[in-house]
Amino acid sequence: MFAFKRVLVLVALATAASGAFVPSNSVKSVAPGVVSASSLSEGGLDAATQQALSVVGGGRKKVEPAPPAAGGLGETLTTASYFALWYLFNIGYNIYNKKCLNALAFPWTIAAIQMAAGVFYFVPLWLTGLRKAPKLSKDDLMTLFPIALCHTGVHVGAVIALGAGAVSFAHIVKASEPVVTCALNALLLGQILPLKVYATLLPIIGGVAIASMKELSFTFLALASAMLSNVSSAARGVLSKKTMSGKQIGENLDAQNLYAVLTAISTIILIPTAYAIEGTGLFKAFSNVVAAGEMTKNSLLSLLALGGATYYAYNEVAFLALGKVNPVTHAVGNTIKRVVIIVASVIAFKTPMSTGSIVGSSVAIAGTLLYSLAMNAAKKEAAAVVTTKKGKK
């Protein structure tokens, strides 16, 4: 009970900024996902591509003019409903995933099942014509393959981290993704950001370090796997800029379809990889758990199915939620989402959190919010400079 009260400190961090949670009528954010980095110039990638590549933490969002919204209470309720579903599916995924991993310690196989679940969603949409199917050439697929490989690393790293440690700790470490993305963008793209952006990385690094030292359920595997997810996410954003900038990829490849294609390729990558690493051990472990009476067959199957369904669902709903808000609300929404997941996991699994872990995670999450706001401000300043130069010509 005492640990639960202390974890409410995290909620205060979110509610302090929640006043920005209103729909925007003038601009829209088009990249749902965890806080991530980008260049001040999008390098030719269109908004839809940026959104799909960052829905779970790749390239940063791009802001573009949006058609006038209806506004009013109805619009606010619609936006709030999208956010509620996004959070709900995200919480559900983390809880179902953790319970499944606690019963069956086969993260590669479980990650493959979850990734494949999306296929049963978007393929029927394509076959029935409810969503236009993408048309891709061999060259298009070759362009997307390394990005899908990174997409695979994002998911596998997160699943292994959730299985190896507490859900709360995995998300605290994943909050350090901006540090990785800034480093990769500087090394691979030569992108140097304003000093104020780099300054916001200090509380992220410090907060994660404090949380790691004070984490009661700390394991090196959880830390390394969460960082693998961060590195893969950052690399996905960098690769998208290097290989897709100013390039037309196939037909009907909007944001949702791009994410679907990456999911399909990742599924093809994951299935043989999971088999090579874990074989068919999950099926034997499944039978043993049922035989021991720890869980019923139906409950285990339900966990596997719900884990996969909620994984794809929260990413799909994220397009609707974050496509309706401005960049500031986008940053606040991501911050609140991470806090909500941490608090929900602590309650669901009765995970003890030390005072140091609470303080460290609060500092790290606050740092990700400051980073996102600083990046948005830097983009605006860069855009203003470009506009001024064009006006002088």
Side-chain angles (χ1 to χ4, degrees):
M1 183 66 180
F2 182 60
F4 169 68
K5 289 180 178 179
R6 289 189 300 174
V7 85
L8 292 181
V9 174
L10 293 173
V11 180
L13 173 67
T15 55
S18 61
F21 187 73
V22 292
S24 169
N25 292 336
S26 58
V27 295
K28 71 176 181 178
S29 165
V30 291
V34 298
V35 178
S36 51
S38 90
S39 61
L40 297 181
S41 168
E42 294 297 335
L45 285 177
D46 62 21
T49 299
Q50 288 295 324
Q51 182 185 40
L53 291 172
S54 62
V55 70
V56 288
R60 178 76 167 113
K61 60 184 174 292
K62 179 179 180 180
V63 180
E64 65 175 8
L73 180 61
E75 183 70 14
T76 300
L77 290 176
T78 299
T79 303
S81 297
Y82 287 155
F83 268 80
L85 286 173
W86 180 37
Y87 291 180
L88 181 64
F89 286 138
N90 218 316
I91 292 170
Y93 165 69
N94 280 275
I95 292 176
Y96 294 138
N97 196 13
K98 181 60 177 177
K99 286 184 175 181
C100 192
L101 289 164
N102 285 344
L104 304 167
F106 292 87
W108 285 87
T109 306
I110 289 173
I113 292 172
Q114 291 171 350
M115 190 68 75
V119 176
F120 295 95
Y121 172 78
F122 57 76
V123 169
L125 293 180
W126 290 344
L127 294 177
T128 58
L130 294 175
R131 179 181 293 179
K132 290 185 178 180
K135 298 178 181 179
L136 301 169
S137 66
K138 182 180 178 181
D139 288 341
D140 293 332
L141 292 174
M142 292 300 293
T143 298
L144 293 175
F145 182 81
I147 300 172
L149 193 62
C150 293
H151 182 65
T152 304
V154 173
H155 183 53
V156 169
V159 172
I160 295 175
L162 289 174
V167 175
S168 55
F169 179 64
H171 281 277
I172 292 168
V173 176
K174 282 180 67 62
S176 65
E177 183 188 335
V179 179
V180 182
T181 50
C182 282
L184 286 186
N185 281 339
L187 290 173
L188 302 180
L189 299 179
Q191 174 195 335
I192 303 300
L193 298 171
L195 182 60
K196 64 181 179 183
V197 175
Y198 290 125
T200 64
L201 300 180
L202 296 178
I204 298 176
I205 296 171
V208 171
I210 294 171
S212 297
M213 289 188 293
K214 300 298 183 180
E215 175 61 37
L216 299 178
S217 59
F218 175 85
T219 67
F220 282 106
L221 179 58
L223 175 63
S225 300
M227 287 307 298
L228 168 64
S229 182
N230 286 344
V231 171
S232 298
S233 181
R236 179 178 58 187
V238 170
L239 282 174
S240 70
K241 293 171 191 173
K242 290 181 70 71
T243 62
M244 298 178 68
S245 294
K247 185 176 181 180
Q248 178 65 36
I249 305 293
E251 297 179 26
N252 302 327
L253 201 65
D254 58 12
Q256 283 89 339
N257 274 347
L258 176 55
Y259 186 75
V261 170
L262 293 178
T263 297
I265 299 175
S266 292
T267 300
I268 296 172
I269 294 171
L270 262 177
I271 290 176
T273 304
Y275 179 76
I277 295 173
E278 297 175 345
T280 57
L282 179 138
F283 301 104
K284 183 178 180 180
F286 187 102
S287 300
N288 291 340
V289 170
V290 174
E294 297 175 13
M295 296 186 75
T296 65
K297 178 180 178 181
N298 287 339
S299 61
L300 268 179
L301 288 174
S302 296
L303 284 178
L304 286 169
L306 288 170
T310 51
Y311 170 67
Y312 199 85
Y314 87 74
N315 285 311
E316 186 78 9
V317 173
F319 290 108
L320 301 174
L322 297 174
K324 280 186 165 289
V325 296
N326 60 43
V328 173
T329 306
H330 173 272
V332 174
N334 273 315
T335 303
I336 296 175
K337 182 199 74 172
R338 197 171 298 284
V339 173
V340 167
I341 292 173
I342 291 174
V343 173
S345 67
V346 168
I347 295 172
F349 298 105
K350 298 180 174 61
T351 307
M353 291 184 73
S354 67
T355 301
S357 183
I358 294 286
V359 172
S361 57
S362 299
V363 172
I365 292 171
T368 63
L369 176 60
L370 293 174
Y371 165 81
S372 187
L373 296 177
M375 280 294 296
N376 182 58
K379 276 188 171 185
K380 286 183 177 179
E381 291 172 3
V385 170
V386 172
T387 302
T388 302
K389 288 182 177 179
K390 286 182 178 179
K392 291 180 179 179
K393 291 182 179 179

